[in-house]
Each structure stands twice: as structure tokens, then as C-alpha cells.
């Protein structure tokens, strides 16, 4: 079964790339042995830099099950997830990740995420995009309100 789910992710990557919808990436999310969502890279066709295959699939899966948690799900992706997609997978609480191409394979065709991996580990004041903290005291008031909120839905 794993191979057939991965083959579907690979097939989606090919089909949608050839249709001009984005880069060569596809993903499927499976729950209880059934595909509940499919995603493919839509960065260029949707003008959305976050529309990677895994993120698109996560959005679709959450809609399908009407829940922000994808516990009990597995993602099959045609390439090792980039840092954004990996973080999204963790936030979605997906149980397992299967991937085909590696991040080195992606770098070889000019989808190189190494800069992002390094940037995450770089101290904030040394990152390429200037990042400056302001109005923390004001923002802290909202965090305190969240902490005291009795009807919040934790996630």
C-alpha cells in the first residue's frame, strides 16, 4: 500500500507540473488506508509562495475531516519536505512522513532549501532579513488574555 500511495504522489507531481500548475512536487494524505487529500505545488499558478504540495494537501485534509489536527494520518510526498512544509506537518500532527526524492535531489534541480535550514539556526540578529522586536508589552497583553480565556480551543 505504501508504494501505491507514494506512486500517486509522484503521478500528481508529474501531471500538475506538465499542466503548468507549479513545480514537480505532489503529496497525498492517508487516513485509515484511504486517501483523504491530494496536493501539488501551486506556487506559480496561485501566486502563493506557501502553496507547496504538502501545505496544499494539509489544507485539503483538514477541510475534509473538519479538524485542524491530522493525528492518525500519514503523508506521502514526492520530495523530502522543505522547512516550511516540515513545520506544517508537525503543526498538523501527522503521524508519519514518507518521501521519494531527497532535499539534495531537489537542490540539484535548483530547489535548494539549504539557505533556509541555515537561516533557522542563525541567531535572529544575524539573519538576512532584518528582524526587529517592537511593542512586546502591548502584544503580551493579548497573550495574557489568551491564557485567561476560558472558552479557547487549545492546539
Amino acid at each position: 500500500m505504501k508504494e501505491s500511495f507514494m506512486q500517486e504522489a509522484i503521478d500528481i507531481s508529474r501531471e500538475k507540473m506538465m499542466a503548468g500548475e507549479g513545480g514537480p512536487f505532489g503529496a497525498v494524505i492517508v487516513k485509515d488506508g484511504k486517501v483523504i487529500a491530494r496536493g501539488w505545488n501551486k506556487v506559480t499558478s496561485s501566486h502563493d509562495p506557501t502553496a507547496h504540495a504538502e501545505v496544499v494537501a494539509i489544507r485539503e485534509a483538514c477541510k475534509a475531516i473538519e479538524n485542524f489536527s491530522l493525528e492518525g494520518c500519514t503523508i506521502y510526498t514526492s520530495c523530502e519536505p522543505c522547512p516550511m512544509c516540515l513545520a506544517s506537518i508537525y503543526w498538523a500532527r501527522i503521524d508519519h512522513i514518507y518521501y521519494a526524492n531527497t532535499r539534495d535531489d531537489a537542490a540539484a534541480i535548483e530547489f535548494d532549501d539549504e539557505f533556509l535550514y541555515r537561516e533557522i539556526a542563525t541567531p535572529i540578529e544575524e539573519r538576512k532579513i532584518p528582524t526587529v522586536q517592537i511593542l512586546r508589552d502591548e502584544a503580551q497583553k493579548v497573550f495574557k488574555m489568551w491564557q485567561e480565556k476560558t472558552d479557547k480551543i487549545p492546539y
Side-chain angles (χ1 to χ4, degrees), residues 22-96:
F25 305 97
V28 298
I29 297 179
V30 175
K31 185 175 179 79
D32 300 325
K34 293 172 58 177
V35 174
I36 62 166
R38 293 164 179 81
W40 53 91
N41 184 284
K42 296 182 179 183
V43 170
T44 57
S45 61
S46 69
H47 311 290
D48 179 355
T50 69
H52 290 199
E54 298 91 337
V55 172
V56 171
I58 288 168
R59 291 172 181 161
E60 293 303 314
C62 289
K63 283 183 204 169
I65 67 168
E66 298 181 337
N67 199 321
F68 59 82
S69 174
L70 296 177
E71 285 184 73
C73 293
T74 299
I75 190 166
Y76 295 83
T77 180
S78 66
C79 188
E80 182 178 354
C82 75
M84 176 186 70
C85 292
L86 184 60
S88 298
I89 289 165
Y90 273 90
W91 278 113
R93 296 177 177 87
I94 292 174
D95 292 357
H96 295 92

